[in-house]
Amino acid sequence: MEKLAVLGCGVVGSGVVELFEKNKQLIQKRCGKQLELAYILDLRDFPDKPYADKVVKDIQVILNDPEVSVVAECMGGVNPAFDFVKSCLEAGKSVSTSNKELVAAKGDILLKKAKEHDCNFFFEASVGGAIPIIRPLHKCLAANEFSAIAGILNGTTNFILNKMIKENMDFSSALALAQEKGYAEKDPTADIEGYDACRKICILSSLAFGKHVYPESVYTKGIREVELKDAKFCGQLGYSIKLIARVQKLDNGKILPAVLPMAVEEDNLLSQVNGVYNAIMVRGDGIGKAMFYGKGAGKFPTASAVLGDMIEQLQLEHTCISQTWQNIHDNSFIENFASFAAKYYFRTSSADVHQLTEIFGEIQEKTISTDEEETVFLTASPLNERELDKAVKTLAQNHIQVLAKYPVLES
Amino acid sequence: MEKLAVLGCGVVGSGVVELFEKNKQLIQKRCGKQLELAYILDLRDFPDKPYADKVVKDIQVILNDPEVSVVAECMGGVNPAFDFVKSCLEAGKSVSTSNKELVAAKGDILLKKAKEHDCNFFFEASVGGAIPIIRPLHKCLAANEFSAIAGILNGTTNFILNKMIKENMDFSSALALAQEKGYAEKDPTADIEGYDACRKICILSSLAFGKHVYPESVYTKGIREVELKDAKFCGQLGYSIKLIARVQKLDNGKILPAVLPMAVEEDNLLSQVNGVYNAIMVRGDGIGKAMFYGKGAGKFPTASAVLGDMIEQLQLEHTCISQTWQNIHDNSFIENFASFAAKYYFRTSSADVHQLTEIFGEIQEKTISTDEEETVFLTASPLNERELDKAVKTLAQNHIQVLAKYPVLES
């Protein structure tokens, strides 16, 4: 008999407890062990729940029980989660977490700690909720050199953009609806401004490229400024505006992670990912491209990922070497966002094809949508930040004002 | 230093060798070991290849070298692959295979053999080529009770159907093009008749539900009879015809695997999977649904999956318990296809809504496409095989001939 413990009995933690109890027979069979969910750490009591008698208030109870081999951390936030997880690892107990903030801020330290104590720090649930992505990246695709990852990693913003694109709702109304449905928090900053997606692309980048990428090193722009009319015009040109978290490996060997709203071509499956679903496209030299799709959040989807980690941890006797990365505080392996280059969608004040062609060379869409004296077009060639600035200045000299611009996701 | 061996140096085997040598540094880092690809078993010589000196003709050379711990089987076919793999496992060497025929026919025996000798028989490459699906199913999603799997598991038939749907090409021309491009074999029977997809759904069903499902137990219908006009009419109704390999768990606890052409609604991401790509949708009580997408075949995509298995095998000290199933020759856990129920797309000789409504109750599409005195419609309710037979007979009594029918994939 091995004992499990869950830290934090909020949405995800209670999901872990309930899904475990529901599928206990199946889970025991799949990991070949008799299991008992022995402790739930929470400051609250849950007198009406069947697991009321498992609730403890002191982490020491869990740390001091040698029969507890695997712990789920579902508290969220960096503190006190970091201290608790560190203590568990130091006691040789493997930890599975759903806490992306913790992994993005302290993953390198905790992975090192796990290795020192020959146990495991797993975090499948921290990116993409139910979607298997961490294990596929470092196991199934371990023979690949990765060249790029691009994903829809935040369901709240995807829901909002979807309502704008498909139902003509403006940003504020769509946000209000997301809050009403419980998809967005009262303070939606972390979602709307892209911070949540940023943490997740940090985790994927660290794993794929082997060095810790901190959120502070990643250019991050949210969706607050996305206007309904751009969602509509993009649609007319065959594109959807999506909040994309992406990283690419450049020819100079550096990586360029970023989070920003991008125009995604309708042929690209990512453009078809609707509502609160997430999806992640991975490119590697062996596979070409592969995509992973599923529910990016929610009680049972996230619990499924936490428990999947625990089931593997129960079968492992040592630290899993492929799921780790270096802690490097020198971030010279990260390219500055100034090097980011993409084709662009532009909405400008009225302009004619002749003027635009003079400024941009060829432009991709000969048919230019116009509305209220505005012009919408796509550039045929990629522009980096310097070229973009120059183009905006030249437009201004020609009395053409840039009203909106979005980079186009490479297909 | 650990030694690797590759059995069979055809398309996949040579891909394994080349991808390994290309990314050797990365692979060694990810599995934490120094590696040497020591032997390639093939009857042919490859004097012009850089790996010419590794070629051996006798499996005993590999079996007798105690430093060889992991072997890739890329020969294809059941014999002699089965004997070679069995001998490797008996010698305690883990085997990774891309051979779906072998896994579907002998997976249970080989998994048992691996367990007896505390090594591993892995087969990520046998389903979906580059797509991580085997490991996600038994690891990431191990806390789920699975309710259904449905996939596009054969790239050749998907390419052909795609050409019919998008480019108005008839079946024979599309098949000829697939052969010209090297996507279809000279004898395309295994693809066209659904046998290849059948082997793959057998493997997924066995893994998800824990008992070996043999191809003989699975209702299998290919795409030879798909007519261009149904591809077109389906499109007009918002559906695509796809060769779907699927399995569902029924309320009576039995499973119902089948391979057949189905009408897939455009909202379903599976309908957007084009060309030689594969995709697999998985449903479980924790995750809801998740989808996995990528290249279903090809030299390097398949090699990527084989090497991913080998990299994990190099890190494992014991048999992976979650990736196994029982060998049960009693197939009473498999429901007869007569219980299969779905809504149906029908193309019949001319009929009016009144007649059809009398026969089927409600029909889903009020707007009925007609062409050349034919009628196309969707039923509003699912029909099982008995109800389907009855409906066809009633239609005949009303002098309405059924010209084509396709079940609709549940959304």
Side-chain angles (χ1 to χ4, degrees), chain A residues 38-258:
Chain A
Y39 305 110
I40 299 167
L41 181 78
D42 207 290
L43 294 175
R44 297 162 291 181
D45 285 307
F46 300 90
D48 303 332
K49 296 288 183 185
Y51 46 79
D53 62 324
K54 299 180 195 294
V55 177
V56 296
K57 312 278 170 193
D58 183 356
I59 183 76
Q60 293 301 330
V61 179
I62 295 166
L63 292 174
N64 293 336
D65 187 336
E67 287 182 83
V68 174
S69 54
V70 176
V71 177
E73 186 276 300
C74 310
M75 305 168 68
V78 175
N79 291 308
F82 175 67
D83 288 334
F84 289 1
V85 171
K86 191 156 69 80
S87 301
C88 288
L89 296 171
E90 284 167 349
K93 301 177 193 307
S94 288
V95 177
S96 161
T97 186
S98 57
N99 185 341
K100 55 242 171 195
E101 206 179 337
L102 178 67
V103 184
K106 305 282 186 186
D108 50 354
I109 300 169
L110 294 169
L111 285 166
K112 198 171 163 222
K113 198 55 82 180
K115 205 173 172 195
E116 283 166 11
H117 296 272
D118 205 18
C119 57
N120 279 291
F121 176 59
F122 280 0
F123 41 83
E124 183 66 79
S126 69
V127 182
I131 307 172
I133 180 63
I134 300 297
R135 194 167 281 102
L137 267 184
H138 75 85
K139 286 202 168 155
C140 308
L141 308 183
N144 286 261
E145 185 175 356
F146 297 110
S147 54
I149 299 173
I152 293 169
L153 294 180
N154 180 272
T156 309
T157 46
N158 201 48
F159 174 85
I160 292 170
L161 290 172
N162 225 219
K163 288 285 163 190
M164 294 173 73
I165 295 165
K166 306 247 160 158
E167 296 176 31
N168 228 7
M169 212 177 261
D170 66 24
F171 174 80
S172 311
S173 313
L175 172 57
L177 181 65
Q179 287 173 317
E180 194 187 306
K181 283 185 172 274
Y183 298 152
E185 317 230 0
K186 238 185 195 170
D187 175 3
T189 313
D191 292 325
I192 299 303
E193 301 295 352
Y195 306 150
D196 175 77
C198 174
R199 289 169 192 144
K200 293 169 180 169
I201 198 68
C202 285
I203 297 170
L204 296 181
S205 302
S206 303
L207 188 62
F209 301 106
K211 294 174 186 170
H212 195 107
V213 176
Y214 294 94
E216 301 75 44
S217 316
V218 179
Y219 175 90
T220 302
K221 187 177 158 67
I223 64 160
R224 205 180 280 278
E225 291 167 21
V226 176
E227 285 181 55
L228 186 54
K229 66 165 66 170
D230 292 305
K232 279 162 60 182
F233 283 139
C234 263
Q236 286 169 20
L237 295 173
Y239 292 76
S240 292
I241 297 180
K242 297 282 187 188
L243 183 66
I244 298 293
R246 43 86 73 197
V247 60
Q248 69 185 118
K249 188 159 189 181
L250 304 173
D251 291 339
N252 65 8
K254 296 185 179 187
I255 63 165
L256 204 171

Side-chain angles (χ1 to χ4, degrees), chain A residues 22-23 26 30 135 139-140 142-144 285-287 290-291 293 300-301 304 307 312 315 317-318 321-322, chain B residues 22-23 26 30 135 139-140 142-144 277 285-287 290-291 293 300-301 304 312 315 317-318 321-322:
Chain A
K22 177 168 187 252
N23 291 342
L26 202 68
R30 286 181 182 154
R135 194 167 281 102
K139 286 202 168 155
C140 308
N144 286 261
D285 58 352
I287 55 166
M291 195 186 84
Y293 165 90
F300 291 115
S304 159
L307 282 166
E312 182 170 20
Q315 297 174 72
E317 286 168 52
H318 300 290
I321 297 164
S322 59
Chain B
K22 177 168 185 251
N23 291 342
L26 203 67
R30 285 180 182 155
R135 195 168 280 101
K139 287 201 166 157
C140 308
N144 287 261
Y277 279 86
D285 58 354
I287 54 164
M291 194 185 86
Y293 165 90
F300 292 114
S304 159
E312 183 170 19
Q315 297 174 72
E317 285 169 51
H318 300 291
I321 295 162
S322 59

Side-chain angles (χ1 to χ4, degrees), chain A residues 11-30:
Chain A
V11 175
V12 177
S14 65
V16 170
V17 176
E18 291 169 32
L19 190 60
F20 173 80
E21 295 298 347
K22 177 168 187 252
N23 291 342
K24 188 172 174 178
Q25 296 310 318
L26 202 68
I27 290 169
Q28 291 185 135
K29 193 174 160 202
R30 286 181 182 154

Side-chain angles (χ1 to χ4, degrees), chain B residues 75-254:
Chain B
M75 305 167 69
V78 175
N79 291 308
F82 174 67
D83 288 334
F84 288 1
V85 171
K86 190 156 68 77
S87 301
C88 287
L89 296 171
E90 283 167 349
K93 302 176 194 305
S94 289
V95 177
S96 161
T97 186
S98 57
N99 186 340
K100 55 243 173 196
E101 206 179 336
L102 177 67
V103 185
K106 305 281 186 185
D108 50 353
I109 300 169
L110 294 171
L111 284 165
K112 196 169 165 223
K113 199 53 83 179
K115 204 174 173 194
E116 284 165 10
H117 296 272
D118 205 18
C119 56
N120 280 289
F121 177 59
F122 280 0
F123 41 84
E124 183 66 79
S126 69
V127 182
I131 307 173
I133 180 64
I134 300 298
R135 195 168 280 101
L137 268 184
H138 75 86
K139 287 201 166 157
C140 308
L141 307 182
N144 287 261
E145 186 176 354
F146 297 109
S147 54
I149 299 172
I152 294 169
L153 295 179
N154 181 272
T156 309
T157 47
N158 200 49
F159 173 86
I160 291 170
L161 290 172
N162 224 222
K163 287 285 162 191
M164 294 173 74
I165 295 165
K166 306 248 160 158
E167 296 176 28
N168 227 9
M169 213 177 260
D170 66 24
F171 173 81
S172 311
S173 312
L175 171 58
L177 181 65
Q179 288 173 315
E180 194 187 307
K181 283 184 173 275
Y183 299 152
E185 318 229 357
K186 238 184 193 171
D187 175 3
T189 313
D191 292 325
I192 299 303
E193 302 296 351
Y195 306 149
D196 175 77
C198 174
R199 289 169 192 144
K200 293 168 180 170
I201 198 67
C202 286
I203 297 170
L204 295 181
S205 302
S206 304
L207 188 62
F209 300 107
K211 295 175 186 171
H212 195 108
V213 176
Y214 293 93
E216 301 77 43
S217 316
V218 178
Y219 175 90
T220 302
K221 186 176 159 68
I223 65 161
R224 205 181 280 280
E225 292 167 21
V226 177
E227 284 181 55
L228 186 54
K229 64 166 67 171
D230 293 305
K232 278 162 59 182
F233 284 139
C234 263
Q236 286 168 21
L237 295 172
Y239 292 77
S240 290
I241 298 181
K242 296 283 186 188
L243 183 67
I244 298 293
R246 43 85 74 199
V247 61
Q248 68 185 119
K249 187 158 190 180
L250 303 172
D251 291 340
N252 65 8
K254 295 186 181 188

